[in-house]
Amino acid sequence: MRLDPHSYADTDHPRTRSIDFALAVDFKSRQLSGEILLHFHAPGSGPLYLDTRDLRIDSVATLQGAPLRHALAAPEPILGARLRIDLPSGTSGVRIHYATSPRATALQWLEPSQTAGGLQPFLFSQAQPIHARSLFPLQDTPRNRITVGSARFTVPARLRTLMAAAAKGRETQGDLAVDAFEMPQPIPPYLLAFAVGDLTPRQLSARCAVWAERALADAAAEEFAQVEDMLVCAEELFGPYDWDRYDILVMPPSFPYGGMENPRLTFVTPSVLAGDKSLVNVIAHELAHAWTGNLVSNATANDFWLNEGFTVYAERRILEALDGVEAAELHAAIGLHDLRVALERFKDRPQLTRLRTELSGIDPDEAYSTVPYEKGYLLLRKLELTAGRAAWDDFLRAYLENFRFQSITTQEFLDFLEARLPGLAARARALEFIDKPGLPPDAPIPRSPRLTQLRRGEAEPQNPTELLAWLHSAQLDAARLRELDARYGLSTRRSLELRHTFVLLQLRAGVPEGIEGARRVALETGRMKYLRPVFTELARRDRDAAARIYEEAKGGYHNIARAVVEGLLKTASSQG
């Protein structure tokens, strides 16, 4: 029986306990090549199914080197190709020599011209949700957490490898260098992450640093100066930090997400470098994942809200502790707006607006939205309000301790909730959030006196967060948008969050300048949070312009983002 609808891994087969790998990074061929060793929890025999996508398998052997019979099946569209290995009795692990494809969905290879420095190439990985199989032949499901005993990357000596793991040294060998790492804590495969580039650090505290290309390093250090304060606050709320270091890597603009919570090394989009620290809530979110997502993970994509709903809740608790209730409620109001947009997007597929989903046969990237984030947050907020904060905080700490370094299902969460706080789920009507589409009518509504004043015109926005929250709630015509642009400089703001929001308002109001504004956004970032709505609005109003802008910009997009935008444009074209 399969462990996960998005993996070939079988419950009757040996499970991988740890991996070792050594890979050479070849920028010319855009390939990784080398070997991986899979060590099992216990010796086994019979068939072993591994997940792969576009991998070239050169040989398979026991850990001692005895060849093993194996076969690579024809690929399936979502799952990739199943690698079957026949294990003789008592096999404790396997050794696989292989190479990735230049088309590996987890990798993006950037030319020097696509980087901030403009002189050296850059490579980064993005394995969530099911792209680790394009990097390694393994059981690519979060149900199967693994440690990394040894990871070695051979790279040009002028470049440096960073991995979401503990650094174990660097050996230089002429024009090449070998960067070594280990990950002693068990992680889901989607958290295997690395980057190679001309990178330099800025120390933020004894256990925190920011890494970036040299041109961005000082600005990043200034923007993220508060990280240690966030980490201390999170420990006070959720318990000890179990990952030793918390470093941040500022990615190239093509990175498709706001951030990725890789343990020890958060990847973050450069679009958060707004110059005014107005978007550091992204860091609060990724830091919170150290507890909600990395420490306790969802077992499959069907339970994704257990990662993201909990993390949005934890993020806003951190913001509340550092900046006050009003700041947290403003962010919640912005989140509610984004949730309503997502619910409208899936109005023809309401099953994807449940928290407990059934994604068998559906690509998790296709189902990705803010629903598990914001609807999940509202469920947890409802549980907190119903239980009382003190009781809820006791539960939250017990939950994190009980499932520490485990991957769980929604039902396991519900069973633990019932055992610790009997009757709470029923009183909060939790199953209406979990198993029904849309948003329950009694879902908590963020209460912000400041936002109410802004909406009524009784106050002027005093900071970027207030301005953003107000813009989300406003209905503005072309004349009013031009007036606001003259007053606040929205079309030229450094903050991509504000500029993107303003461009959407322009497009919806039919302001001609909106198309050029959308083009600038599309060329500046590969973050899907911005690309999806921008290309959706463009395609509704001017499909030719949308297609033209995409052709101009797509060279700077990750494979994941390309697939999303091309799907939007295809849908718009088919609708005539």
Side-chain angles (χ1 to χ4, degrees):
M1 184 176 72
R2 285 188 181 179
L3 283 166
D4 180 332
H6 294 107
S7 172
Y8 292 112
D10 193 289
T11 56
D12 294 331
H13 296 175
R15 287 194 308 117
T16 304
R17 170 182 51 82
S18 68
I19 63 172
D20 303 309
F21 63 86
L23 296 172
V25 178
D26 188 335
F27 279 91
K28 185 176 181 180
S29 67
R30 297 194 166 195
Q31 287 182 291
L32 309 177
S33 60
E35 69 171 7
I36 184 172
L37 281 66
L38 278 59
H39 305 272
F40 303 149
H41 280 274
S45 61
L48 171 69
Y49 295 162
L50 301 181
D51 299 301
T52 79
R53 179 180 290 140
D54 295 327
L55 297 181
R56 187 190 75 214
I57 305 299
D58 295 325
S59 66
V60 180
T62 65
L63 296 177
Q64 295 73 32
L68 293 176
R69 188 170 60 184
H70 61 280
L72 199 60
E76 296 184 20
I78 296 172
L79 299 183
R82 186 193 72 189
L83 174 61
R84 174 177 172 143
I85 304 172
D86 293 322
L87 306 175
S89 179
T91 303
S92 59
V94 296
R95 179 188 300 264
I96 304 171
H97 284 265
Y98 74 101
T100 63
S101 165
R103 303 180 306 278
T105 55
L107 294 176
Q108 186 164 24
W109 304 82
L110 300 177
E111 298 295 331
S113 61
Q114 295 174 291
T115 68
L119 299 176
Q120 301 294 346
F122 198 104
L123 166 67
F124 69 88
S125 69
Q126 172 55 44
Q128 193 180 44
I130 56 169
H131 298 285
R133 65 196 63 186
S134 72
L135 302 175
F136 311 100
L138 43 60
Q139 292 158 322
D140 188 11
T141 168
R143 278 189 179 273
N144 195 47
R145 299 174 74 109
I146 53 175
T147 59
V148 182
S150 172
R152 296 171 63 85
F153 296 87
T154 301
V155 299
R158 68 186 185 277
L159 303 178
R160 176 182 290 275
T161 311
L162 295 181
M163 183 178 174
K168 303 304 290 184
R170 178 178 174 93
E171 303 170 8
T172 302
Q173 305 167 353
D175 293 336
L176 298 175
V178 177
D179 294 313
F181 305 88
E182 69 173 10
M183 173 54 82
Q185 294 94 344
I187 60 171
Y190 72 79
L191 291 177
L192 292 166
F194 56 88
V196 182
D198 183 14
L199 300 166
T200 189
R202 296 290 184 270
Q203 203 68 29
L204 302 175
S205 72
R207 56 178 173 173
C208 300
V210 61
W211 291 81
E213 293 185 73
R214 297 174 193 279
L216 298 176
D218 290 335
E222 174 65 23
E223 201 82 9
F224 304 142
Q226 195 183 8
V227 164
E228 177 66 28
D229 293 339
M230 287 185 178
L231 183 48
V232 170
C233 177
E235 287 184 303
E236 291 173 353
L237 288 167
F238 311 123
Y241 180 74
D242 277 318
W243 305 93
D244 302 319
R245 288 195 61 83
Y246 182 73
D247 292 341
I248 300 167
L249 173 60
V250 179
M251 304 298 285
S254 59
F255 187 61
Y257 299 108
M260 183 60 208
E261 64 270 18
N262 308 309
R264 299 173 182 257
L265 186 66
T266 283
F267 287 6
V268 65
T269 171
S271 66
V272 303
L273 300 179
D276 54 17
K277 303 184 181 180
S278 61
L279 300 177
V280 293
N281 66 293
V282 173
I283 300 301
H285 182 91
E286 303 309 330
L287 172 60
H289 266 302
W291 290 266
T292 54
N294 296 358
L295 194 64
V296 182
S297 306
N298 58 277
T300 73
N302 292 343
D303 307 291
F304 187 51
W305 81 274
L306 289 173
N307 275 23
E308 297 300 349
F310 267 92
T311 301
V312 172
Y313 176 85
E315 164 202 342
R316 289 179 184 149
R317 288 293 301 274
I318 294 171
L319 292 176
E320 178 185 321
L322 292 175
D323 300 326
V325 173
E326 183 67 48
E329 289 294 284
L330 272 176
H331 281 281
I334 294 169
L336 181 58
H337 167 271
D338 293 343
L339 174 58
R340 286 170 173 158
V341 171
L343 294 175
E344 175 64 20
R345 173 184 153 209
F346 286 122
K347 64 182 180 182
D348 295 329
R349 303 174 75 185
Q351 68 275 18
L352 296 182
T353 68
R354 301 193 301 253
L355 290 182
R356 177 161 47 189
T357 54
E358 177 45 67
L359 297 181
S360 181
I362 299 174
D363 191 329
D365 282 328
E366 179 187 345
Y368 180 83
S369 76
T370 60
V371 170
Y373 294 73
E374 297 295 342
K375 188 178 178 184
Y377 160 77
L378 291 174
L379 166 59
L380 298 175
R381 185 82 175 104
K382 181 71 178 295
L383 290 167
E384 178 206 310
L385 292 171
T386 305
R389 175 162 285 188
W392 178 251
D393 281 356
D394 287 344
F395 166 80
L396 190 56
R397 278 181 171 260
Y399 166 80
L400 293 170
E401 178 61 30
N402 187 75
F403 293 113
R404 186 170 175 265
F405 294 117
Q406 296 180 51
S407 300
I408 68 169
T409 65
T410 299
Q411 193 57 51
E412 287 174 293
F413 159 73
L414 287 171
D415 291 344
F416 188 73
L417 178 64
E418 186 63 24
R420 296 286 302 198
L421 294 172
L424 176 60
R427 294 198 306 276
R429 306 206 306 188
L431 291 182
E432 291 195 19
F433 289 83
I434 288 172
D435 290 325
K436 291 187 178 181
L439 193 60
D442 60 345
I445 301 297
R447 303 296 181 188
S448 166
R450 182 65 179 168
L451 183 55
T452 299
Q453 288 180 329
L454 294 170
R455 286 170 172 167
R456 291 174 177 172
E458 297 171 356
E460 286 281 316
Q462 297 299 307
N463 58 54
T465 301
E466 289 186 358
L467 184 54
L468 182 65
W470 178 68
L471 286 173
H472 275 314
S473 66
Q475 298 291 326
L476 304 170
D477 60 19
R480 181 71 169 133
L481 287 170
R482 292 191 175 100
E483 177 189 334
L484 291 173
D485 196 19
R487 183 186 307 176
Y488 297 112
L490 294 169
S491 62
T492 57
R493 283 272 183 151
R494 179 176 170 183
S495 168
L496 192 56
E497 186 79 19
L498 273 172
R499 215 163 2 105
H500 153 265
T501 300
F502 184 65
V503 162
L504 293 180
L505 292 170
Q506 286 181 310
L507 291 172
R508 290 165 187 158
V511 177
E513 301 96 285
I515 291 180
E516 177 56 26
R519 174 179 171 273
R520 291 197 300 270
V521 169
L523 288 169
E524 183 174 337
T525 185
R527 186 178 175 185
M528 290 194 296
K529 176 182 178 180
Y530 301 138
L531 298 184
R532 190 191 300 275
V534 160
F535 277 102
T536 297
E537 293 297 336
L538 276 172
R540 284 174 180 166
R541 285 154 181 80
D542 191 331
R543 290 196 301 276
D544 290 341
R548 184 175 66 250
I549 291 170
Y550 176 64
E551 284 300 313
E552 183 180 4
K554 69 179 183 181
Y557 293 169
H558 190 277
N559 296 314
I560 296 170
R562 285 191 185 192
V564 167
V565 177
E566 288 171 7
L568 288 172
L569 298 180
K570 182 178 180 181
T571 298
S573 177
S574 67
Q575 292 174 347

